[in-house]
Amino acid sequence: MTADAGSWKNTILAGLANYIDAGSIVTGDLINNVTAQTYVEIVNTEGSATATDVAGIEIDGILEGDLINNGTVSAEARAIGRNGAKAEAHGIEFDAEYENAIANVQNNAGALIAATAFASVTGTYITTAIATAEAKGIDQWVTTEDTDGEALVGNSGIITADAMAVAGT
């Protein structure tokens, strides 16, 4: 099987765009023109609780420009456990502990940001176990006390967030 240079380039760019590490500083805009998808499913048939937390794009550093999405960013988390299950999905997540770490997001026409979370508790523990699911299209938070600012979201595309938690299936 062969692939053209363009498909390899898009695969590498999607991987690089998926996560900006803690302490990183990106000057200028971060522009996504490709598909960045993350899917995680954890099934635990033993007695312990199950949890997962995923993001289509996660910024854990400083983005000094805007995040501009022209492509598809999606995250899907599925957690299935016998003694509790928690699934969290974030289409785009800013998880920063730095001053001025939040950024504006522009989701352009034809672009998609999607988050889907599903949690299910099965088996003998369903009467006391808890299933929780949380989905956020865009999630921004900072923990530095003296951080002050606001971020704007412009959307002419589609942003979705779907969550479902079920006990006893």
Side-chain angles (χ1 to χ4, degrees):
M1 181 175 154
T2 61
D4 62 47
S7 66
W8 280 106
K9 179 182 175 187
N10 288 344
T11 300
I12 292 168
L13 289 174
L16 292 173
N18 185 266
Y19 183 75
I20 296 177
D21 198 7
S24 298
I25 299 175
V26 177
T27 57
D29 295 338
L30 175 62
I31 301 172
N32 178 50
N33 291 319
V34 297
T35 298
Q37 296 178 309
T38 304
Y39 174 84
V40 174
E41 180 176 72
I42 298 176
V43 178
N44 185 350
T45 58
E46 302 300 321
S48 59
T50 302
T52 184
D53 183 351
V54 299
I57 293 178
E58 181 174 352
I59 309 292
D60 194 15
I62 298 173
L63 177 58
E64 293 182 344
D66 295 341
L67 193 153
I68 301 169
N69 183 39
N70 297 313
T72 298
V73 177
S74 68
E76 183 174 351
R78 296 177 57 86
I80 301 168
R82 291 176 52 89
N83 194 24
K86 180 177 183 181
E88 290 186 33
H90 312 268
I92 296 175
E93 180 180 23
F94 291 83
D95 182 4
E97 299 178 13
Y98 309 99
E99 218 174 304
N100 303 318
I102 59 177
N104 296 327
V105 176
Q106 178 61 46
N107 193 46
N108 289 326
L112 171 68
I113 299 171
T116 305
F118 174 79
S120 175
V121 176
T122 62
T124 58
Y125 300 104
I126 63 172
T127 57
T128 58
I130 297 173
T132 60
E134 181 178 311
K136 298 177 182 175
I138 300 173
D139 184 16
Q140 297 198 46
W141 64 279
V142 290
T143 57
T144 304
E145 292 177 19
D146 58 353
T147 298
D148 187 22
E150 70 178 36
L152 304 174
V153 174
N155 182 39
S156 54
I158 298 171
I159 300 174
T160 65
D162 298 300
M164 182 188 322
V166 180
T169 61

